[in-house]
């Protein structure tokens, strides 16, 4: 079936709203049809633009004509009665002070404080610790005949490392997991009230969880990011108390769920492409190249929003000031104009300037960390368990589509 047939045979639906499992499992044919037929498409139902080509996406990410503070969007559901619920109020307050949602100069100020903890040199020094945690988890997993790669490896590894960086104990992994799940459910523009309520509830619980740790660092500073942020807040000019708390929450959520998906997508891609896996086993030095290709081929974050701050004409469409734009990063990463044979998983690909970490001033602060964790995860995994296999090739991916990764990944050790 050609992309055109798929496109005209269906009523146009925003991929970000689709929950149909067959689309979630295999979204790329529809995304290709969008790129070909409606690369900048106005979605009336969601009152926003959907952008699917590489060049347009990259242009928007780099352009000062598009900004954050998307909570100022005129269609944000914001009836007065929502304020009666502390959950909605908490979510609104917190997300407004996430650096992810800020514009300069506030964004520049907050990012400067947090950024040092994620500089490539700092991450390089963390590698032995990441290797240690990966080995430890695999020693436990390899005793079983089969195990869920996500529950036993891809989930606990980044959680242990972000816990170490921030300075929070990971003994509360289950609680952190459910808070983080509730918060990521609204990524991708899901504005269903029950989802917003659960996210707000998670924010309130996270605040209760983090506040005593912040108070502890005021009295007993340690060598962790929490202490750095507390000192910046006490300085009075670098970080407000609200910004301190909300950006801690952002780091726990943004830094975790995404990396879990990167690791599990990487393992799944390799197990589904045995010739690529064989090449990687022969040349483990390709680990970074594998991770780059996985980020492109199965992008863990599929969408990013911006608000136009002036009228902009892009590829023949007029985007009006105040309009919301959703860029489909995973679609841009499959654009044939940028990546020849874009639907082929090729770990030796050289032209790989993917947009999975976004671009411009909001480019992911944790990119070096995620890449290091991904590369160490697959190297350690296939060195420890060279005969690893999928239990079944029927893998369901998670909803919402905006965050891409398998729900569960059962593997056999022999
Ligand atoms: C594979 C893993 C990851 C992916 C795919 C990813 C993806 C992204 C993307 C696409 C953005 C920008 C969104 C936009 O432009 O609207 C972003 C921003 C961000 N990411 Fe990541 N991320 C990953 C891992 C991490 C990690 C490990 C951390 C930290 C521990 C982190 C923290 C952040 C923060 C704080 C921002 C906001 C940056 C800013 O607004 O200046 N991410 N990430």
């Amino acid at each position: 079936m050609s992309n055109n047939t798929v496109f005209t045979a269906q009523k146009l639906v925003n991929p970000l709203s689709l929950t149909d499992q067959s689309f979630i499992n295999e979204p790329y044919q529809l995304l290709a049809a969008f790129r070909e037929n409606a690369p900048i498409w106005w979605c009336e139902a969601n009152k926003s633009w959907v952008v699917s080509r590489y060049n347009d996406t990259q242009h928007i990410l780099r352009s000062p004509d598009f900004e954050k503070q998307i909570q100022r969007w005129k269609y944000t559901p914001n009836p007065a009665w929502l304020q009666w619920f502390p959950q909605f109020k908490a979510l609104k307050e917190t997300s407004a002070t996430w650096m992810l949602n800020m514009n300069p100069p506030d964004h520049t100020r907050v990012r400067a404080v947090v950024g040092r903890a994620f500089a490539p040199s700092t991450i390089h020094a963390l590698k032995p610790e990441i290797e240690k945690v990966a080995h430890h988890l695999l020693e436990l997993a390899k005793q079983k005949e089969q195990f869920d790669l996500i529950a036993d490896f891809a989930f606990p590894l980044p959680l242990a490392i972000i816990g170490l960086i921030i300075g929070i104990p990971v003994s509360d992994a289950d609680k952190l997991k459910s808070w983080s799940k509730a918060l990521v459910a609204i990524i991708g523009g899901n504005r269903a009230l029950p989802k917003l309520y659960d996210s707000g509830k998670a924010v309130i619980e996270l605040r209760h969880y983090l506040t005593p740790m912040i108070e502890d660092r005021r009295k007993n500073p340690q060598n962790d990011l929490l202490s750095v942020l507390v000192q910046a807040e006490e300085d009075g000019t670098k970080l407000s108390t609200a910004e301190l708390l909300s950006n801690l929450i952002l780091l726990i959520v943004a830094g975790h769920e995404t990396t879990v998906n990167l690791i599990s997508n990487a393992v799944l891609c390799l197990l589904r492409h045995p010739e690529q896996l064989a090449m990687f086993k022969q040349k483990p030095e390709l680990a970074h190249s594998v991770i780059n290709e996985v980020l492109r081929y199965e992008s863990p974050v599929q969408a990013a929003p911006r608000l136009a701050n002036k009228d902009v004409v892009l590829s023949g469409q007029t985007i009006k000031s105040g309009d919301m734009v959703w860029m489909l990063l995973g679609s841009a990463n499959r654009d044939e104009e940028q990546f020849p044979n874009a639907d082929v998983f090729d770990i030796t690909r050289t032209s790989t300037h993917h947009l999975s970490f976004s671009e411009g001033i909001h480019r992911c602060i944790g990119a070096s960390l995620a890449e290091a964790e991904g590369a160490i995860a697959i190297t350690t995994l296939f060195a420890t368990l060279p005969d690893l296999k999928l239990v079944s090739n029927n893998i369901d991916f998670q909803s919402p589509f905006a965050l891409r990764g398998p729900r569960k990944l059962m593997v056999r050790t022999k």
Side-chain angles (χ1 to χ4, degrees), residues 99-231:
M99 79 174 87
L100 181 67
N101 287 338
M102 284 176 160
N103 288 328
D106 289 334
H107 171 263
T108 323
R109 172 176 52 79
V110 175
R111 186 163 166 131
V113 176
V114 180
R116 268 172 280 149
F118 296 96
S121 55
T122 317
I123 300 308
H124 187 74
L126 259 178
K127 283 183 181 174
E129 196 58 43
I130 305 175
E131 278 162 5
K132 203 167 99 190
V133 179
H135 279 295
H136 169 71
L137 293 169
L138 290 171
E139 280 311 308
L140 297 177
K142 81 176 193 194
Q143 291 163 18
K144 307 177 191 173
E145 243 172 62
Q146 42 176 264
F147 65 97
D148 178 6
L149 187 112
I150 299 176
D152 290 352
F153 187 58
F155 172 79
L157 176 61
L159 188 66
I161 302 304
I162 195 67
L164 188 78
I165 294 174
I166 298 179
I168 53 176
V170 288
S171 45
D172 294 322
D174 286 343
K175 275 197 263 176
L176 288 167
K177 182 180 183 177
S178 71
W179 291 328
S180 142
K181 282 258 175 253
L183 272 157
V184 295
I186 59 165
I187 290 178
N190 190 332
R191 292 290 173 266
L193 288 180
K195 296 265 183 228
L196 292 174
Y197 180 91
D198 286 347
S199 298
K201 186 165 164 277
V203 168
I204 292 172
E205 290 171 6
L206 269 160
R207 281 177 177 170
H208 284 305
Y209 175 77
L210 291 168
T211 302
M213 291 181 210
I214 292 173
E215 292 315 315
D216 173 70
R217 292 312 191 283
R218 286 195 202 289
K219 293 181 214 123
N220 313 302
Q222 290 176 29
N223 186 20
D224 56 30
L225 180 59
L226 196 43
S227 305
V228 171
L229 298 184
V230 168
Q231 276 160 23

Side-chain angles (χ1 to χ4, degrees), residues 61 68 99-100 107 111 118 162 250-251 254-255 258-259 262 295 300-301 304-306 329 355-358 361-367 369-370:
L61 290 173
K68 288 293 192 147
M99 79 174 87
L100 181 67
H107 171 263
R111 186 163 166 131
F118 296 96
I162 195 67
L250 172 66
L251 287 172
T258 46
T259 315
L262 171 61
L295 282 161
V301 176
R306 292 291 184 276
L329 304 176
L355 299 178
S356 289
F357 290 125
S358 177
I361 61 168
H362 291 280
R363 184 177 192 272
C364 178
I365 213 169
L369 173 61

